[in-house]
Amino acid sequence: MSEIHGWCEPRFDAVREAFQRNFDEGRELGASVTVYQRGRAVVDLWGGRAGAGTAWERDTITLLASATKGLVAAAAMLLVDRGLLDLDTPIAAYWPEFAAGGKADIPLRWVLGHRSGVVTVDPPLTLLDLEGGTAVSEALAAAVPAWQPGRAHGYHCLTMGWLVGEVVQRVTGMSVQRFFAKEIAGPLGLDLHIGLPDARERRLADLVPPTAEQLLQGRANPELADLNQAICDPASLFHRSTFGSIALAGNPLAAASLPQAGIPSCGGAGNAAGLARMYAALVGDVDGIRLLRPETADRARTVEASGMDLVLRCRTSYGRGFMLPGGPMWPGECSPTAFGHPGVTGVFAYADPDHELGFAYVPNRMTELITGGDDRVRRLVEATHRCACT
């Protein structure tokens, strides 16, 4: 049995039990889970191994994959809250070059809600392109939507972070990475980053992919059958928007590439303590800091798109940059007002304004579901919801 460290309030003992059970059943290598309620931590647990012979410590961090989109969305909505961005204003008003290719009327909310159709980059971007930055913005400005903007929705696997990041840069003069660090992570004291300055950071946990047996179990999920088929089809929108849009060695979503590439859609790093604290500050006061006014938090979770996702080929629901409950992407029963984001590393984090919750779970054994949201986090989310409602 792995020893669990940290603490939780007695009212949330079911979360500790669920966390321990994940380790006892051999589902975990190392992980952390943190819950905030009404502005203070009520659960802060960690355990297991960060790497060979290395224990998972309270300050261990790991790569966040697509959960990074939640950080980008928080930055965008903070600028909306301050009146510097408008959800209904066409992106071309901030970034004139973006109007090319039939994109002149795409508002910011269509990108945040995965409705813009700008999901692929052709030819694929190289590591040199990503490091330079200019080539990325030029490629996105020249891109042609994969469907008529606003008429459908599909997960912007890589492009969401780049598109929003360019708008943030145009409005603030700062990269989205720097803006997040200065305006969100810094004031809240978060060990949370869009990108990672040093990929050799000693506190960074080793990510371990699922075994072949675990992958087979994940692919047995009938709701994800079409997605699993699309992964292997070079003509599919999923394949074209991931493997076909970025020319990194091996899997473009592989953890080793992300810190170096600094992709704002999937290259973040942090721990559960930082993620939970950020989400808590989106819906309530945390040590005197509230990131969004209540009406702006409501706009962040307002349904922008729901139904069949043209890229992921399953049911999804999106607010403004955040995923919403419903469909196989969202793990477990919780408040219908919740909003957050998963990642293929297994990470999941969300805010629940009904119960003033911020929740985050960060493991280093990657999920067998490419979308995240496996049984480990499902039982933690459901235990948290039960405890919060008592």
Side-chain angles (χ1 to χ4, degrees):
M1 293 177 61
S2 292
E3 183 179 358
I4 302 302
H5 302 277
W7 59 274
C8 74
E9 292 192 353
R11 184 162 59 93
F12 284 84
D13 275 345
V15 179
R16 178 194 290 273
E17 292 167 5
F19 193 55
Q20 181 72 66
R21 182 180 169 192
N22 284 341
F23 281 96
D24 293 347
E25 293 181 356
R27 293 174 177 265
E28 297 287 19
L29 296 174
S32 58
V33 60
T34 303
V35 181
Y36 272 70
Q37 187 172 39
R38 300 184 184 93
R40 61 187 184 85
V42 293
V43 176
D44 190 18
L45 302 170
W46 64 93
R49 305 189 310 277
T54 305
W56 190 291
E57 304 289 351
R58 189 177 190 279
D59 65 348
T60 296
I61 61 175
T62 190
L63 300 180
L64 303 177
S66 284
T68 310
K69 292 181 177 71
L71 282 57
V72 173
M77 292 307 298
L78 180 59
L79 289 170
V80 169
D81 192 81
R82 294 176 178 178
L84 296 175
L85 283 180
D86 182 80
L87 292 172
D88 293 310
T89 296
I91 286 177
Y94 307 107
W95 177 11
E97 298 88 344
F98 186 74
K103 305 191 298 299
D105 297 325
I106 295 175
L108 177 62
R109 65 185 177 88
W110 286 1
V111 170
L112 289 169
H114 300 266
R115 296 175 64 199
S116 79
V118 185
V119 295
T120 64
V121 179
D122 186 29
L125 296 163
T126 66
L127 183 58
L128 189 62
D129 293 333
L130 301 181
E131 291 173 344
T134 300
V136 177
S137 61
E138 290 177 348
L140 292 169
V144 176
W147 59 82
Q148 185 174 345
R151 291 293 184 91
H153 77 277
Y155 189 48
H156 293 31
C157 300
L158 297 173
T159 56
M160 184 269 201
W162 286 325
L163 291 168
V164 175
E166 183 67 24
V167 174
V168 171
Q169 174 81 42
R170 299 271 173 152
V171 169
T172 67
M174 290 184 278
S175 68
V176 68
Q177 292 91 336
R178 185 180 167 209
F179 179 81
F180 180 86
K182 180 176 183 290
E183 301 294 337
I184 296 178
L188 283 166
L190 309 179
D191 195 357
L192 201 55
H193 318 271
I194 300 176
L196 188 65
D198 186 352
R200 296 166 297 180
E201 167 65 58
R202 66 180 178 83
R203 294 184 297 112
L204 185 66
D206 295 334
L207 286 178
V208 178
T211 65
E213 181 181 0
Q214 289 165 339
L215 283 173
L216 284 175
Q217 292 172 350
R219 289 175 181 172
N221 185 329
E223 290 188 284
L224 299 176
D226 288 344
L227 170 58
N228 285 316
Q229 183 178 9
I231 293 170
C232 303
D233 179 6
S236 72
L237 269 181
F238 178 83
H239 201 283
R240 289 165 53 205
S241 66
T242 52
F243 305 97
S245 290
I246 186 167
L248 297 182
N251 182 346
L253 299 180
S257 302
L258 297 185
Q260 187 177 13
I263 303 171
S265 277
C266 54
N271 53 27
L275 274 171
R277 188 172 171 87
M278 183 199 81
Y279 274 99
L282 292 175
V283 295
D285 185 288
V286 178
D287 292 335
I289 297 173
R290 178 167 184 151
L291 294 174
L292 304 179
R293 291 172 294 167
E295 56 267 35
T296 309
D298 286 343
R299 297 182 77 189
R301 64 177 180 81
T302 297
V303 177
E304 183 66 39
S306 186
M308 184 54 61
D309 189 299
L310 296 186
V311 174
L312 296 179
R313 294 186 177 183
C314 63
R315 292 180 300 115
T316 55
S317 186
Y318 301 102
R320 277 67 189 265
F322 300 98
M323 280 193 175
L324 306 177
M329 300 296 157
W330 191 278
E333 179 184 353
C334 64
S335 170
T337 64
F339 59 95
H341 219 287
V344 71
T345 55
V347 62
F348 182 68
Y350 72 92
D352 172 359
D354 280 351
H355 300 96
E356 296 181 67
L357 282 178
F359 168 94
Y361 160 73
V362 175
N364 64 341
R365 198 275 277 172
M366 297 176 69
T367 180
E368 64 270 18
L369 305 174
I370 192 165
T371 57
D374 58 36
D375 286 341
R376 295 173 298 172
V377 66
R378 184 181 304 277
R379 61 177 48 152
L380 290 169
V381 167
E382 292 180 347
T384 298
H385 182 63
R386 290 194 305 272
C387 294
C389 291
T390 58

